[in-house]
Amino acid sequence: MTAGFLRPSLSILGLALLAAGCSQQGGGNAAAPAANKAPAIDQAAQRDLDTYRQLVRIHNDEMATTFGEQIVHDYPGSAAAKEVQQTLPEIAKRYHENAEKNRLAGLWLYQVAPMAGGTQSTAVIYNSEPAAGDKVRMVLRRHTEWGQSAFLFGSGKGFVCKGTCTLPATFDGKPVGIKAFAPPSGEPALMIKDDSAFIAMLKKAKKITLKVTRKDDDRSEELVYEVGGFDPAKWLPLEKKRK
Protein backbone atom coordinates (compact mmCIF):
# COMPACT_ATOMS: atom_id res chain seq x y z
CA MET A 1 0.00 0.00 0.00
CA THR A 2 2.73 2.44 0.91
CA ALA A 3 4.81 1.82 -2.23
CA GLY A 4 1.71 2.02 -4.44
CA PHE A 5 0.70 5.31 -2.84
CA LEU A 6 4.14 6.86 -3.22
CA ARG A 7 4.55 6.17 -6.95
CA PRO A 8 1.67 8.41 -8.17
CA SER A 9 2.64 11.06 -5.57
CA LEU A 10 6.21 11.21 -6.91
CA SER A 11 4.92 11.39 -10.44
CA ILE A 12 2.69 14.33 -9.54
CA LEU A 13 5.59 16.03 -7.72
CA GLY A 14 7.83 15.60 -10.78
CA LEU A 15 5.23 17.19 -13.02
CA ALA A 16 4.85 20.09 -10.61
CA LEU A 17 8.62 20.72 -10.51
CA LEU A 18 8.77 20.55 -14.31
CA ALA A 19 5.93 23.06 -14.59
CA ALA A 20 7.65 25.37 -12.09
CA GLY A 21 10.90 25.17 -14.07
CA CYS A 22 9.09 26.04 -17.28
CA SER A 23 7.36 28.91 -15.54
CA GLN A 24 10.66 30.33 -14.26
CA GLN A 25 12.24 29.97 -17.70
CA GLY A 26 9.30 31.72 -19.31
CA GLY A 27 9.46 34.53 -16.72
CA GLY A 28 13.14 35.04 -17.46
CA ASN A 29 12.43 35.50 -21.18
CA ALA A 30 9.67 38.02 -20.48
CA ALA A 31 11.93 40.13 -18.30
CA ALA A 32 14.79 40.13 -20.81
CA PRO A 33 13.28 42.70 -23.22
CA ALA A 34 12.62 45.09 -20.32
CA ALA A 35 16.20 44.72 -19.15
CA ASN A 36 17.48 45.33 -22.67
CA LYS A 37 15.60 48.63 -22.92
CA ALA A 38 17.92 50.42 -20.49
CA PRO A 39 21.01 50.43 -22.77
CA ALA A 40 18.87 51.60 -25.70
CA ILE A 41 17.47 54.49 -23.64
CA ASP A 42 20.95 55.42 -22.41
CA GLN A 43 22.24 55.51 -26.00
CA ALA A 44 19.33 57.66 -27.18
CA ALA A 45 19.79 60.06 -24.26
CA GLN A 46 23.50 60.30 -25.01
CA ARG A 47 22.84 61.06 -28.69
CA ASP A 48 20.39 63.83 -27.76
CA LEU A 49 22.81 65.15 -25.15
CA ASP A 50 25.62 65.31 -27.74
CA THR A 51 23.32 67.26 -30.04
CA TYR A 52 22.37 69.59 -27.19
CA ARG A 53 26.03 70.24 -26.36
CA GLN A 54 26.76 71.08 -30.01
CA LEU A 55 23.80 73.49 -30.19
CA VAL A 56 25.02 75.22 -27.04
CA ARG A 57 28.53 75.54 -28.52
CA ILE A 58 27.22 77.23 -31.69
CA HIS A 59 24.84 79.45 -29.65
CA ASN A 60 21.66 78.16 -31.31
CA ASP A 61 19.43 79.02 -28.36
CA GLU A 62 16.18 78.09 -30.10
CA MET A 63 17.17 74.52 -30.98
CA ALA A 64 19.12 74.08 -27.74
CA THR A 65 15.98 74.99 -25.81
CA THR A 66 13.91 72.51 -27.84
CA PHE A 67 16.40 69.65 -27.44
CA GLY A 68 17.06 70.44 -23.78
CA GLU A 69 13.38 70.42 -22.88
CA GLN A 70 12.94 67.16 -24.79
CA ILE A 71 15.78 65.47 -22.92
CA VAL A 72 14.42 66.54 -19.53
CA HIS A 73 10.94 65.29 -20.53
CA ASP A 74 11.98 61.99 -22.14
CA TYR A 75 14.75 60.95 -19.73
CA PRO A 76 13.78 62.30 -16.29
CA GLY A 77 16.32 61.64 -13.56
CA SER A 78 19.00 60.55 -16.05
CA ALA A 79 22.57 61.84 -16.08
CA ALA A 80 21.78 63.53 -19.40
CA ALA A 81 18.79 65.37 -17.91
CA LYS A 82 20.81 66.47 -14.90
CA GLU A 83 23.55 67.90 -17.11
CA VAL A 84 21.03 69.74 -19.31
CA GLN A 85 19.28 71.26 -16.32
CA GLN A 86 22.49 73.02 -15.32
CA THR A 87 22.43 75.25 -18.44
CA LEU A 88 18.89 75.04 -19.87
CA PRO A 89 17.17 77.68 -17.66
CA GLU A 90 19.57 80.46 -18.70
CA ILE A 91 19.50 79.45 -22.38
CA ALA A 92 15.69 79.18 -22.46
CA LYS A 93 15.32 82.57 -20.76
CA ARG A 94 17.65 84.23 -23.26
CA TYR A 95 15.89 82.57 -26.19
CA HIS A 96 12.40 83.64 -25.09
CA GLU A 97 13.55 87.20 -24.37
CA ASN A 98 15.17 87.51 -27.80
CA ALA A 99 12.16 85.93 -29.51
CA GLU A 100 9.86 88.52 -27.90
CA LYS A 101 12.27 91.31 -28.82
CA ASN A 102 12.27 90.16 -32.44
CA ARG A 103 8.48 89.83 -32.45
CA LEU A 104 8.03 93.40 -31.26
CA ALA A 105 10.58 94.73 -33.75
CA GLY A 106 8.76 92.89 -36.53
CA LEU A 107 5.53 94.80 -35.82
CA TRP A 108 7.06 97.97 -37.28
CA LEU A 109 7.45 98.78 -40.99
CA TYR A 110 9.88 101.49 -42.12
CA GLN A 111 9.85 103.06 -45.57
CA VAL A 112 11.21 105.99 -47.55
CA ALA A 113 9.21 106.79 -50.70
CA PRO A 114 8.05 109.64 -52.96
CA MET A 115 4.89 111.37 -51.75
CA ALA A 116 2.95 114.36 -53.14
CA GLY A 117 5.82 116.09 -54.86
CA GLY A 118 8.28 115.32 -52.10
CA THR A 119 9.78 112.43 -50.16
CA GLN A 120 8.46 110.91 -46.96
CA SER A 121 9.99 108.66 -44.33
CA THR A 122 7.49 106.61 -42.33
CA ALA A 123 7.41 104.23 -39.38
CA VAL A 124 4.12 102.31 -39.24
CA ILE A 125 2.56 99.91 -36.75
CA TYR A 126 -0.92 98.35 -36.66
CA ASN A 127 -2.99 97.86 -33.53
CA SER A 128 -2.66 94.35 -32.08
CA GLU A 129 -5.97 94.64 -30.22
CA PRO A 130 -8.81 94.37 -30.97
CA ALA A 131 -7.68 91.36 -32.96
CA ALA A 132 -10.79 91.40 -35.16
CA GLY A 133 -12.14 94.20 -37.32
CA ASP A 134 -10.45 96.87 -39.42
CA LYS A 135 -6.93 97.65 -38.31
CA VAL A 136 -5.82 101.22 -37.61
CA ARG A 137 -2.30 102.25 -38.53
CA MET A 138 -0.27 104.45 -36.26
CA VAL A 139 2.02 106.44 -38.54
CA LEU A 140 5.09 108.50 -37.72
CA ARG A 141 5.96 110.57 -40.77
CA ARG A 142 8.67 112.95 -41.93
CA HIS A 143 8.03 114.76 -45.20
CA THR A 144 10.37 117.06 -47.11
CA GLU A 145 7.60 119.67 -47.44
CA TRP A 146 5.17 119.05 -44.59
CA GLY A 147 7.71 118.30 -41.88
CA GLN A 148 7.07 115.84 -39.05
CA SER A 149 3.68 114.42 -38.02
CA ALA A 150 2.10 111.54 -36.15
CA PHE A 151 -1.38 110.24 -36.89
CA LEU A 152 -3.83 107.35 -36.89
CA PHE A 153 -5.13 106.13 -40.24
CA GLY A 154 -8.16 103.88 -40.43
CA SER A 155 -10.79 102.98 -42.99
CA GLY A 156 -14.37 103.85 -43.87
CA LYS A 157 -15.61 107.25 -42.73
CA GLY A 158 -12.87 107.73 -40.17
CA PHE A 159 -13.26 108.87 -36.59
CA VAL A 160 -15.48 111.15 -34.53
CA CYS A 161 -13.52 114.28 -33.62
CA LYS A 162 -15.01 117.79 -33.67
CA GLY A 163 -12.41 120.53 -33.81
CA THR A 164 -9.68 119.49 -31.43
CA CYS A 165 -10.62 116.41 -29.43
CA THR A 166 -8.85 114.59 -26.60
CA LEU A 167 -8.24 110.87 -26.97
CA PRO A 168 -8.11 108.92 -23.68
CA ALA A 169 -4.77 107.12 -23.77
CA THR A 170 -2.33 105.19 -21.62
CA PHE A 171 1.45 104.78 -21.93
CA ASP A 172 2.42 101.58 -20.08
CA GLY A 173 -0.70 101.96 -17.97
CA LYS A 174 -0.23 105.66 -17.16
CA PRO A 175 -3.28 107.72 -18.24
CA VAL A 176 -2.64 110.57 -20.67
CA GLY A 177 -4.91 112.77 -22.77
CA ILE A 178 -3.77 113.05 -26.40
CA LYS A 179 -5.10 116.04 -28.34
CA ALA A 180 -5.96 115.30 -31.97
CA PHE A 181 -7.89 116.69 -34.91
CA ALA A 182 -9.43 115.32 -38.10
CA PRO A 183 -7.66 116.44 -41.31
CA PRO A 184 -9.69 119.00 -43.32
CA SER A 185 -9.09 116.97 -46.49
CA GLY A 186 -11.49 114.30 -45.19
CA GLU A 187 -9.18 111.25 -44.94
CA PRO A 188 -10.13 108.64 -42.30
CA ALA A 189 -7.38 109.85 -39.98
CA LEU A 190 -6.69 111.55 -36.67
CA MET A 191 -3.69 113.88 -36.55
CA ILE A 192 -1.83 114.11 -33.23
CA LYS A 193 -1.60 117.80 -32.34
CA ASP A 194 1.69 117.70 -30.38
CA ASP A 195 3.52 115.08 -32.44
CA SER A 196 6.93 115.78 -30.87
CA ALA A 197 5.70 115.11 -27.32
CA PHE A 198 3.77 112.04 -28.49
CA ILE A 199 6.81 110.56 -30.24
CA ALA A 200 9.03 111.28 -27.23
CA MET A 201 6.63 109.33 -24.99
CA LEU A 202 6.32 106.53 -27.57
CA LYS A 203 10.10 106.01 -27.63
CA LYS A 204 10.07 105.20 -23.90
CA ALA A 205 6.91 103.06 -23.90
CA LYS A 206 6.24 99.37 -24.42
CA LYS A 207 2.48 99.56 -24.89
CA ILE A 208 0.13 102.40 -25.84
CA THR A 209 -3.66 102.38 -25.77
CA LEU A 210 -5.83 104.96 -27.54
CA LYS A 211 -9.60 105.15 -27.29
CA VAL A 212 -11.32 106.24 -30.52
CA THR A 213 -14.88 106.38 -31.85
CA ARG A 214 -15.56 105.38 -35.45
CA LYS A 215 -17.97 107.40 -37.57
CA ASP A 216 -19.28 104.34 -39.41
CA ASP A 217 -21.23 102.95 -36.47
CA ASP A 218 -20.48 105.41 -33.66
CA ARG A 219 -18.64 102.58 -31.95
CA SER A 220 -15.91 103.31 -29.40
CA GLU A 221 -12.96 100.98 -29.10
CA GLU A 222 -9.62 100.89 -27.35
CA LEU A 223 -6.73 100.37 -29.73
CA VAL A 224 -3.62 98.67 -28.33
CA TYR A 225 -0.20 99.22 -29.89
CA GLU A 226 2.81 97.16 -28.77
CA VAL A 227 5.41 99.83 -29.58
CA GLY A 228 8.37 98.44 -27.58
CA GLY A 229 10.20 97.34 -30.74
CA PHE A 230 10.41 100.82 -32.26
CA ASP A 231 13.88 101.58 -33.64
CA PRO A 232 14.39 105.34 -34.10
CA ALA A 233 17.48 104.72 -36.22
CA LYS A 234 15.33 103.06 -38.90
CA TRP A 235 12.97 106.05 -39.15
CA LEU A 236 15.24 108.06 -41.39
CA PRO A 237 15.41 111.86 -41.07
CA LEU A 238 14.77 114.02 -44.12
CA GLU A 239 15.76 117.61 -44.80
CA LYS A 240 12.79 119.90 -45.23
CA LYS A 241 12.56 121.62 -48.60
CA ARG A 242 13.80 125.18 -48.66
CA LYS A 243 11.28 127.65 -50.03
Side-chain angles (χ1 to χ4, degrees), residues 5-6 8-9 16 29-30 37 41 67 80 105 117 132 134 141 145 186 188 199 209 229-230 235:
F5 176 79
L6 287 176
S9 298
N29 289 336
K37 286 182 181 179
I41 291 175
F67 261 85
D134 295 331
R141 181 176 64 190
E145 186 174 347
I199 293 169
T209 68
F230 176 60
W235 183 36

Side-chain angles (χ1 to χ4, degrees), residues 224-236:
V224 178
Y225 295 91
E226 297 178 272
V227 299
F230 176 60
D231 185 351
K234 293 183 179 180
W235 183 36
L236 300 181

Side-chain angles (χ1 to χ4, degrees), residues 73-157:
H73 177 271
D74 292 350
Y75 316 112
S78 66
K82 290 177 181 177
E83 179 178 328
V84 166
Q85 286 171 322
Q86 293 178 9
T87 54
L88 180 59
E90 181 180 350
I91 293 172
K93 180 183 177 182
R94 184 171 63 235
Y95 161 63
H96 290 299
E97 287 177 349
N98 287 333
E100 178 64 5
K101 182 179 178 180
N102 292 335
R103 183 188 74 82
L104 292 173
L107 297 178
W108 285 92
L109 174 65
Y110 306 89
Q111 188 177 39
V112 176
M115 176 66 178
T119 303
Q120 71 173 11
S121 172
T122 56
V124 178
I125 187 172
Y126 288 85
N127 61 294
S128 54
E129 295 178 30
D134 295 331
K135 295 294 183 179
V136 177
R137 283 175 283 176
M138 178 188 291
V139 183
L140 310 182
R141 181 176 64 190
R142 290 174 174 140
H143 192 278
T144 51
E145 186 174 347
W146 308 328
Q148 178 180 277
S149 57
F151 57 92
L152 301 179
F153 196 92
S155 60
K157 298 178 181 179

Side-chain angles (χ1 to χ4, degrees), residues 44-56 60-93 95-96:
Q46 186 60 50
R47 284 195 300 269
D48 288 350
L49 179 61
D50 291 340
T51 301
Y52 174 79
R53 289 169 176 167
Q54 179 63 19
L55 292 169
V56 172
N60 189 331
D61 289 346
E62 179 179 5
M63 292 302 297
T65 298
T66 300
F67 261 85
E69 291 175 347
Q70 180 179 325
I71 290 169
V72 172
H73 177 271
D74 292 350
Y75 316 112
S78 66
K82 290 177 181 177
E83 179 178 328
V84 166
Q85 286 171 322
Q86 293 178 9
T87 54
L88 180 59
E90 181 180 350
I91 293 172
K93 180 183 177 182
Y95 161 63
H96 290 299

